[in-house]
Amino acid sequence: MNCGELLIIGGAEDKCLEGEVLNKFVELATHSEGGIGILPTASEIPEEVSTEYIKIFRDLGVDRVEVIKLDSRQDADDPAICEQLASFSAIFISGGNQSRLSELIGKTKFHDALSKAWHEGMVIAGTSAGASILGKYMIVAADTMLNDNKLKVEIGVGFGFLDGLIIDQHFSQRGRFDRLLSAIAGKKEIMGIGIDENTAILVKDGHFEVVGQHQVLVLDGSTSDYINITSSDNGSEELTLSGFNLHALTRGYRFDLLTRKLLMKKGIQQ
């Protein structure tokens, strides 16, 4: 069986009956029986977050919506929780802190079970921190040095469902272009994908399609002809670079992750 779809959301998606992004997730989730499991581990207020998603998913017609309570690595190695995971047709990973997801779930039995379920067709959605964790790498932190306004980006390891990608979220709304560019500079094998709020990419079979209200940016340095990274005494970095490819996509446009090229909307000739 082919891998399931990944719906990777830039955060702050509309939680109402008309919300395009969550409607798309429910449409995908209900192609199979099993219902939706909500994983709120990234959040500091998991009960409040879970209650909000339970309500909207039930309002959208999903009969079975359950919370996966996972607060420690011991929980993530619990066979009963892994068994609960396997009973769903789709998993929704909430926002919060992606480092918490990595620390509590990375390289556990739950991580292995989630990967196995996805490879067997389970749909997985992640919003905000839940989006960032789905790549092989993720931005853990990006701090501006107070003395010279330089940006220092810290990279961590994600769940690894998408090789060669770093996913950033709340992208335009929080002005994250510089940090994503810094994250991929000098790494020609890695693309950066910045997803705006209330916007998502639906990934399947090596390409994605944009869903939602705003924009997705793809930063590709594979054709770069010059990169110079200068480090200062305080550990911050300054970039000089040339030859990067920038793709900006809106609703309905598609992108081939293998060839790194734009695919037009369905029904529109390139």
Side-chain angles (χ1 to χ4, degrees), residues 49-189:
V49 166
S50 298
T51 298
E52 185 175 31
Y53 282 113
I54 289 171
K55 181 180 185 306
I56 184 57
F57 291 146
R58 287 183 175 163
D59 287 347
L60 290 172
V62 181
D63 293 328
R64 183 190 176 207
V65 186
E66 296 180 10
V67 178
I68 302 171
K69 295 181 179 179
L70 197 163
D71 299 317
S72 67
R73 290 190 68 84
Q74 288 75 20
D75 289 342
D77 281 325
D78 186 340
I81 293 180
C82 295
E83 186 175 340
Q84 180 193 15
L85 165 67
S87 70
F88 298 111
S89 61
I91 297 295
F92 189 92
I93 307 174
S94 80
N97 184 340
Q98 55 261 41
S99 292
R100 180 172 166 82
L101 287 168
S102 179
E103 290 164 5
L104 296 185
I105 297 177
K107 298 182 179 179
T108 63
K109 291 179 181 178
F110 185 91
H111 183 190
D112 292 342
L114 185 62
S115 178
K116 181 177 184 290
W118 172 63
H119 278 96
E120 293 177 350
M122 176 182 279
V123 175
I124 298 177
T127 184
S128 191
S132 290
I133 195 68
L134 296 176
K136 183 174 182 179
Y137 304 102
M138 63 182 183
I139 297 174
V140 174
D143 297 323
T144 300
M145 311 300 287
L146 296 178
N147 58 337
D148 58 6
N149 294 320
K150 303 294 194 312
L151 190 65
K152 183 175 178 61
V153 179
E154 181 182 349
I155 304 297
V157 178
F159 284 171
F161 293 165
L162 293 172
D163 262 349
L165 295 181
I166 292 180
I167 299 159
D168 209 352
Q169 16 76 16
H170 301 282
F171 193 67
S172 297
Q173 290 75 15
R174 298 188 184 178
R176 289 180 164 174
F177 183 91
D178 283 353
R179 83 173 195 170
L180 185 57
L181 186 62
S182 296
I184 68 164
K187 305 176 184 68
K188 290 191 174 187
E189 73 283 5

Side-chain angles (χ1 to χ4, degrees), residues 162 165 191 193 203 206-208 255-261:
L162 293 172
L165 295 181
M191 283 192 300
I193 299 182
V203 184
H207 72 272
F208 72 74
F255 190 85
D256 190 317
L257 293 168
L258 301 178
T259 65
R260 301 190 173 196
K261 291 183 179 179

